[in-house]
Amino acid sequence: MSLRRVVPWPSLAVAVLCAATALSALPAEATAQDASRAVRVFFDCNADCDGDYVRTETPWVAFVRDRTDADVHLLITSLGTGAGGEQYTLNFVGLGAFAARDDTLTYVFNVGGTEDNRRRGLTRTIQLGLAPYVARSPLALAVRMVLDDDASGAAPTAVASADPWRSWVFDLDANASFDGEERQSELEWGGSFEATRITPRWKFGVGTDAFFDESHFTLDDSDGDGVDEKITTLRESYGAGAVAVRSHGAHWGSGFQVSVGRSTFENTKLAVRAAPAVEYSVFPYDEFTRRQLTLQYSVGVSSFRYREETIFNKFAETRPTHALVVGYDLTQPWGEADVTLETFSYLDNSSQWRMNFDGELEVRVARGFAIEIGGGASLLRDQLAIPKRGATPEEILLELRDLQTNYRYDGRLGLSYTFGSIFNTVVNPRFGTGPGSVLR
């Protein structure tokens, strides 16, 4: 476990954290009077957190379901580490009487640990971060400090003098699924391989994947010969890519990326793009878990070999390209925002371009009420691979090939409202999400 202080605290809080202690004060079933005296915490995790475990192991604070009722807003985000683990950033935002008290801790979960190691280590870090707030609450006199012999919350690890893998992490995946009925069946299968190496200065990644979708249909006899018609379709795609990125301080990065692929749906025997790129982050990269605004620009070349002659009378072509991607991500106590704008065009013909936009916003509007809005849109003027011949009805209905279009769009809207008791400390797993669940 790794702890990092960001905002200085008074000496009492520092002593609490440095001692690596655990608090024990309230029993598991706190009374209503205890709850009224305890620090109220709004648990807001945007990562892999076992919320039930955290609540069960921390009975000396009162977890509430709405931020407006809280004394502390605990906002948790995470990022993957270069070794395949995960770094959690815990932001303790004081509210009400604690409005002037904010703090940030980090917890690192190393690859190879169990899920129990993860939740124990994260919970201990949460408890350490909440200790200074409890020390200044009416419940402080009921708190006692105990030293845990196993304060790490994670399996001990040895420090190796040399890493035989040289920081490389590998991920191999394979999957298959099938379904069917009397007159139709479908089989999907595929796999992927990825290797990454991440250090503070460099980031390398290579990967490849393949996907297949085979369908069988039996149609009624249409020509009167007494034999049903059988149709078999197959969609397949392959891809591979590599990227190398160099860090240049808190705001800049540069790199080179290359991708290779082929797809029956997109009418490509071979599609290759290679491009160097540069990226600027308006905010320092170490603020990534809370906010990020980046601009990435690349100039390169794309080469295509087509399965069928295209609407531009081409079987192959090589073109210079450039692209600009603007991305904005924000995670704050009031909610989250995520916006991406991508523009791409061919340098030798500016009339062939595309623009993609996607965004999502989640806002806690008022007590117990939240709204989610999302959507995307694309303007397409670069569909070079559309086959010259028209699509058959089967190809259209079964989505076997890409169709010519000037735009695409989608939208999402969600509303939620929760009311009732503001306290949610008690955890009861009976009739939960298992086979006997009645709440699905």
Side-chain angles (χ1 to χ4, degrees), residues 49-87:
C49 303
D50 189 340
D52 288 345
Y53 183 85
V54 172
R55 294 179 178 91
T56 302
E57 296 297 311
T58 318
W60 35 269
V61 298
F63 290 95
V64 296
R65 60 169 179 78
D66 196 278
R67 183 177 184 271
T68 59
D69 297 308
D71 299 312
V72 181
H73 183 163
L74 173 55
L75 177 61
I76 304 177
T77 56
S78 69
L79 281 175
T81 66
E86 196 164 7
Q87 175 179 291

Side-chain angles (χ1 to χ4, degrees), residues 103-115:
D103 197 12
T104 300
L105 300 178
T106 61
Y107 162 67
V108 177
F109 174 70
N110 294 319
V111 65
T114 66
E115 287 302 311

Side-chain angles (χ1 to χ4, degrees), residues 94-130:
L95 304 172
F98 297 109
R101 298 184 181 277
D102 295 347
D103 197 12
T104 300
L105 300 178
T106 61
Y107 162 67
V108 177
F109 174 70
N110 294 319
V111 65
T114 66
E115 287 302 311
D116 187 58
N117 296 151
R118 181 200 301 268
R119 68 180 187 175
R120 284 176 179 271
L122 180 60
T123 300
R124 289 181 183 275
T125 310
I126 291 172
Q127 292 173 343
L128 290 175
L130 291 175

Side-chain angles (χ1 to χ4, degrees), residues 37 119-120 176 192 227 240 257 430 433:
R37 299 166 57 201
R119 68 180 187 175
R120 284 176 179 271
S192 64
V227 179
Q257 50 195 354
R430 298 163 185 81
T433 58

Side-chain angles (χ1 to χ4, degrees), residues 16 20 28 36-37 59 109 115 169 182 198 207 245 247 262 293 320 322 355 360 387 401 408 411 432 439:
V16 171
S36 66
R37 299 166 57 201
F109 174 70
E115 287 302 311
V169 178
E182 184 177 1
I198 301 176
V245 179
S247 300
R262 61 180 296 177
L293 175 59
H322 67 152
M355 179 179 294
E360 188 162 342
R401 51 169 276 188
R408 296 189 180 106
L439 301 175

Side-chain angles (χ1 to χ4, degrees), residues 183-386:
R183 288 185 169 269
Q184 67 180 34
S185 62
E186 182 178 19
L187 173 64
E188 296 181 0
W189 72 98
S192 64
F193 171 77
E194 184 177 279
T196 57
R197 183 177 188 267
I198 301 176
T199 67
R201 179 164 293 187
W202 284 97
K203 179 178 181 180
F204 299 98
V206 294
T208 182
D209 63 79
F211 172 78
F212 305 88
D213 183 350
E214 182 177 335
S215 300
H216 300 270
F217 301 88
T218 302
L219 305 181
D220 291 334
D221 177 23
S222 60
D223 52 14
D225 62 359
V227 179
D228 291 339
E229 182 181 2
K230 296 183 182 296
I231 298 177
T232 298
T233 65
L234 177 64
R235 285 176 54 181
E236 57 183 10
S237 64
Y238 309 86
V243 62
V245 179
R246 175 71 156 80
S247 300
H248 303 283
H251 296 273
W252 288 94
S254 63
F256 184 84
Q257 50 195 354
V258 60
S259 62
V260 181
R262 61 180 296 177
S263 168
T264 55
F265 181 79
E266 297 178 349
N267 187 36
T268 53
K269 283 185 178 179
L270 181 66
V272 181
R273 184 171 191 262
V278 62
E279 182 178 89
Y280 174 73
S281 178
V282 175
F283 307 113
Y285 281 111
D286 59 9
E287 298 181 15
F288 181 89
T289 60
R290 293 293 299 273
R291 59 178 184 172
Q292 185 179 44
L293 175 59
T294 59
L295 296 88
Q296 184 186 104
Y297 179 72
S298 63
V299 179
V301 61
S302 295
S303 181
F304 305 97
R305 290 175 56 197
Y306 303 113
R307 298 167 59 87
E308 299 182 38
E309 185 178 7
T310 71
I311 55 177
F312 295 99
N313 304 313
K314 300 282 188 179
F315 282 98
E317 58 184 320
T318 299
R319 308 280 299 279
T321 63
H322 67 152
L324 173 66
V325 181
V326 180
Y328 180 66
D329 296 285
L330 185 67
T331 302
Q332 295 292 321
W334 52 261
E336 301 176 50
D338 183 352
V339 177
T340 302
L341 176 65
E342 176 185 0
T343 62
F344 174 91
S345 68
Y346 293 93
L347 289 169
D348 58 344
N349 188 342
S350 60
S351 65
Q352 295 177 333
W353 55 272
R354 74 170 178 262
M355 179 179 294
N356 302 319
F357 170 83
D358 189 81
E360 188 162 342
L361 177 66
E362 178 184 341
V363 180
R364 300 181 180 94
V365 179
R367 178 187 177 92
F369 181 68
I371 182 172
E372 298 178 5
I373 303 173
S378 299
L379 297 176
L380 305 174
R381 303 290 189 273
D382 67 336
Q383 290 183 290
L384 306 183
I386 299 295

